[in-house]
């Protein structure tokens, strides 16, 4: 709880000194772009700076590996909301090199869950209920292929505007260099 107390103390000062004023903007992205990227901490400031974006320019949706693993899950819903409600006119799906999702081994992760108190009964119940945990937790081997797959899922989604621009890129988390994977 020490970190939480530090955060709340800082926040009280932040608000009372009106430090938020420099970040004031609307809910609509000024550059009409929504980005799906990885939750990797190295990208937090690097990605917007490498693309010359500032607060208010874009919507950013994050998931482990910038992966869309279900066509009707929360990530896809967020992209659709950005397009239909928040006036986004382009989608960028940006994976990154050295991604932790490329090393995920479902069996090892399930064991870590058990080690931290999740029962084998719970895991078995989910597997018997049709949840394919090994597939759901699986990472990817090739970030370029993973980005292409996510781009294709968005472009071919039955609720996405036909011909909507969806671009795939990979960023180097050490330098910020962007490599094009797929442009539409």
């Amino acid at each position: 709880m020490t970190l939480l107390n530090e955060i709340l103390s800082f926040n009280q000062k932040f608000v009372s000194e009106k430090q938020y004023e420099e970040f004031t903007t609307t809910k609509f992205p000024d550059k009409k772009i929504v980005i799906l990227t990885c939750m990797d901490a190295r990208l937090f400031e690097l990605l917007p700076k490498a693309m010359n974006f500032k607060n208010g320019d874009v919507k950013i949706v994050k998931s482990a590996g910038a992966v869309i693993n279900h066509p009707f899950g929360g990530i896809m819903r967020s992209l659709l909301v950005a397009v239909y409600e928040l006036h986004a006119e382009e989608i960028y799906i940006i994976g990154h090199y050295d991604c932790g999702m490329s090393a995920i081994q479902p069996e090892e992760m399930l064991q870590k869950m058990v080690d931290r108190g999740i029962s084998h009964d719970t895991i078995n119940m989910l597997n018997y209920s049709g949840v394919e945990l090994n597939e759901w937790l699986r990472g990817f081997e090739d970030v370029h292929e993973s980005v292409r797959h996510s781009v294709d899922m968005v472009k071919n989604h039955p609720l996405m505007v036909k011909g909507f621009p969806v671009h795939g890129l990979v960023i180097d988390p050490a330098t910020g260099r962007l490599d094009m994977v797929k442009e539409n």
Side-chain angles (χ1 to χ4, degrees), residues 1-6:
M1 290 295 272
T2 304
L3 187 54
L4 176 59
N5 290 334
E6 288 177 30

Side-chain angles (χ1 to χ4, degrees), residues 26-43:
T26 71
K27 65 182 176 181
F28 300 102
D30 293 336
K31 298 213 174 165
K32 300 186 183 314
I33 292 171
V34 60
I35 295 171
L36 168 61
T37 193
C38 186
M39 63 185 192
D40 190 297
R42 296 172 291 178
L43 303 181

Side-chain angles (χ1 to χ4, degrees), residues 167-179:
H167 313 288
L169 301 125
V170 177
I171 189 169
D172 182 330
T175 66
R177 183 191 79 239
L178 290 166
D179 295 327

Side-chain angles (χ1 to χ4, degrees), residues 110 113 118-134 136-137:
L110 287 168
M113 291 176 187
I118 305 300
S119 73
H120 285 287
D121 289 342
T122 297
I123 292 170
N124 290 336
M125 184 265 304
L126 290 170
N127 280 322
Y128 295 138
S129 297
V131 178
E132 296 181 27
L133 288 175
N134 284 337
W136 185 62
L137 294 172

Side-chain angles (χ1 to χ4, degrees), residues 6-182:
E6 288 177 30
I7 290 169
L8 292 174
S9 177
F10 175 86
N11 180 257
Q12 186 176 26
K13 181 180 176 196
F14 179 85
V15 173
S16 69
E17 294 177 0
K18 297 185 179 185
Q19 294 178 39
Y20 56 83
E21 288 179 344
E22 71 179 283
F23 303 105
T24 302
T25 186
T26 71
K27 65 182 176 181
F28 300 102
D30 293 336
K31 298 213 174 165
K32 300 186 183 314
I33 292 171
V34 60
I35 295 171
L36 168 61
T37 193
C38 186
M39 63 185 192
D40 190 297
R42 296 172 291 178
L43 303 181
F44 184 75
E45 289 188 58
L46 177 68
L47 179 71
K49 288 187 190 315
M51 297 180 77
N52 194 30
F53 293 140
K54 65 180 183 359
N55 193 55
D57 281 348
V58 300
K59 291 291 183 185
I60 299 179
V61 177
K62 295 189 175 199
S63 72
V67 171
I68 302 171
N69 61 358
H70 193 286
F72 293 98
I75 299 300
M76 193 63 217
R77 180 181 62 200
S78 294
L79 296 176
L80 291 169
V81 167
V83 169
Y84 289 106
E85 296 295 327
L86 302 174
H87 312 297
E89 295 177 357
E90 291 182 78
I91 296 173
Y92 290 72
I93 297 176
I94 306 174
H96 67 94
Y97 299 108
D98 189 33
C99 184
M101 283 299 288
S102 65
I104 296 288
Q105 299 299 322
E107 299 79 15
E108 292 175 17
M109 190 171 185
L110 287 168
Q111 184 57 53
K112 290 175 185 176
M113 291 176 187
V114 169
D115 293 346
R116 293 185 70 175
I118 305 300
S119 73
H120 285 287
D121 289 342
T122 297
I123 292 170
N124 290 336
M125 184 265 304
L126 290 170
N127 280 322
Y128 295 138
S129 297
V131 178
E132 296 181 27
L133 288 175
N134 284 337
E135 247 342 274
W136 185 62
L137 294 172
R138 186 169 314 288
F140 53 79
E141 294 180 20
D142 180 343
V143 67
H144 292 92
E145 184 53 39
S146 178
V147 167
R148 272 191 285 282
H149 179 264
S150 290
V151 166
D152 289 342
M153 281 190 75
V154 173
K155 296 237 14 120
N156 295 309
H157 196 279
L159 299 176
M160 183 53 68
V161 176
K162 299 300 176 224
F164 196 85
V166 183
H167 313 288
L169 301 125
V170 177
I171 189 169
D172 182 330
T175 66
R177 183 191 79 239
L178 290 166
D179 295 327
M180 180 70 70
V181 173
K182 189 165 189 170

